[in-house]
Amino acid sequence: MSEAGVDQGRDGAAGPLIELRGVTRAFQVAGERVMAVRGVDLRVGHGEALAIVGPSGSGKSTMMNLIGLLDTPSTGHYRLAGVDTRALSPQDKARLRNQDIGFVFQQCHLLASLTAQQNAQLPLLYRGLSQRASLEAARAALAAVGLEHRMAHRPSELSGGEKQRVAIARAVAGEPRVLLADEPTGALDSATGARVLDLLREVTSATGAALLMITHDMGIARQLPRQIEMRDGVIQGDAAGGGRHA
Ligand code: ADP
Ligand code: MG
């Protein structure tokens, strides 16, 4: 960890936010074993922002799904905010995912029948927040992404960039410790994509959340303070400040 304070969580917890040690993930496909992730060591501090780059099929999404507790390593260790995730029951994992992790994908996965505000509110209702508290948090998150005037719109009534902003609002409304974004600008034109990147950085730095973003776009990756390069299921490069290898 390079910067003072990076190892200190919002609740004062010492140590990195994310720590992977020797993590692998193998899939069995038609009798063949595919090693999507083949031994990753990674530490990410509280509030850190980084890009994950690498060719298609290099294991970026698999690694992100592991970090997001959507999937479980075949071997190795994953600690999230000091918690050894191997020991967790499926229910504990789901609760941790709901509280600590926000997701933004290339396709925004909004529910078509719900308004922007209801979409952003939903994970908070799952968490057990009251109708009123969850509506209020959803409104604040939508305001933070500049969509105050679109609260009552359904996804079909929003542009691609607006939909992605609703997805960002939904992901951060519950103030997660980490925001995971898998090609969030992949379906957007470059100006809209740049705006989405700015918003991701704004909303995470406002809450002290870490940001891990997968992108194909080196121009976008270089705007983040750290770049991780994956190749064939391993981290091949880990650089700070746009291209200098650490
Ligand atoms: P990336 O996001 O870098 O494009 P992925 O993590 O999606 O790469 O995939 C890495 C490798 O793992 C690929 O060979 C892919 O086909 C394989 N893979 C990913 N998910 C699965 C799965 N659910 N079942 C089988 N193979 C998978
Ligand atoms: Mg992918």
Side-chain angles (χ1 to χ4, degrees):
M1 293 301 113
S2 47
E3 289 169 48
V6 156
D7 264 5
Q8 198 80 357
R10 60 161 75 121
D11 41 18
L17 174 63
I18 288 164
E19 185 174 27
L20 306 184
R21 278 193 291 126
V23 165
T24 70
R25 178 66 167 104
F27 295 105
Q28 205 70 31
V29 184
E32 272 199 48
R33 205 170 141 82
V34 177
M35 284 291 274
V37 170
R38 45 177 89 226
V40 161
D41 297 308
L42 176 68
R43 287 163 64 100
V44 180
H46 292 268
E48 226 187 310
L50 60 86
I52 300 167
V53 300
S56 178
S58 58
K60 304 181 298 296
S61 294
T62 302
M63 184 174 77
M64 185 162 279
N65 290 342
L66 293 169
I67 291 172
L69 301 175
L70 293 170
D71 192 14
T72 306
S74 302
T75 60
H77 298 267
Y78 171 30
R79 282 180 175 275
L80 175 63
V83 174
D84 182 353
T85 61
R86 258 202 318 194
L88 298 175
S89 68
Q91 293 89 331
D92 284 343
K93 257 190 174 180
R95 189 169 37 76
L96 211 59
R97 194 164 57 232
N98 177 272
Q99 282 181 2
D100 286 350
I101 298 164
F103 292 97
V104 178
F105 298 100
Q106 179 169 348
Q107 305 302 329
C108 32
H109 298 300
L110 300 176
L111 294 178
S113 62
L114 301 184
T115 65
Q117 187 170 26
Q118 289 165 335
N119 267 287
Q121 178 193 15
L122 201 56
L124 301 171
L125 288 175
Y126 288 147
R127 191 189 288 195
L129 255 69
S130 70
Q131 182 72 241
R132 198 164 135 193
S134 57
L135 268 179
E136 197 39 57
R139 178 178 298 125
L142 285 163
V145 299
L147 285 181
E148 241 158 347
H149 57 305
R150 294 283 187 270
M151 302 277 186
H153 287 238
R154 293 197 160 69
S156 62
E157 300 158 346
L158 298 168
S159 71
E162 286 174 335
K163 278 188 269 202
Q164 199 55 297
R165 281 149 71 190
V166 176
I168 293 168
R170 175 181 58 184
V172 299
E175 303 205 346
R177 293 176 196 266
V178 56
L179 184 56
L180 301 176
D182 193 344
E183 307 263 8
T185 64
L188 304 173
D189 64 76
S190 58
T192 311
R195 176 81 185 114
V196 161
L197 171 66
D198 288 345
L199 277 173
L200 287 168
R201 296 216 66 189
E202 274 170 45
V203 294
T204 48
S205 56
T207 59
L211 171 64
L212 276 67
M213 185 173 76
I214 296 175
T215 181
H216 268 112
D217 184 333
M218 279 313 294
I220 282 186
R222 282 199 203 92
Q223 291 179 52
L224 295 178
R226 180 178 173 192
Q227 298 85 30
I228 282 172
E229 191 186 340
M230 286 198 79
R231 202 166 284 263
D232 295 330
V234 297
I235 291 178
Q236 205 183 43
D238 188 346
R244 282 181 292 117
H245 281 259

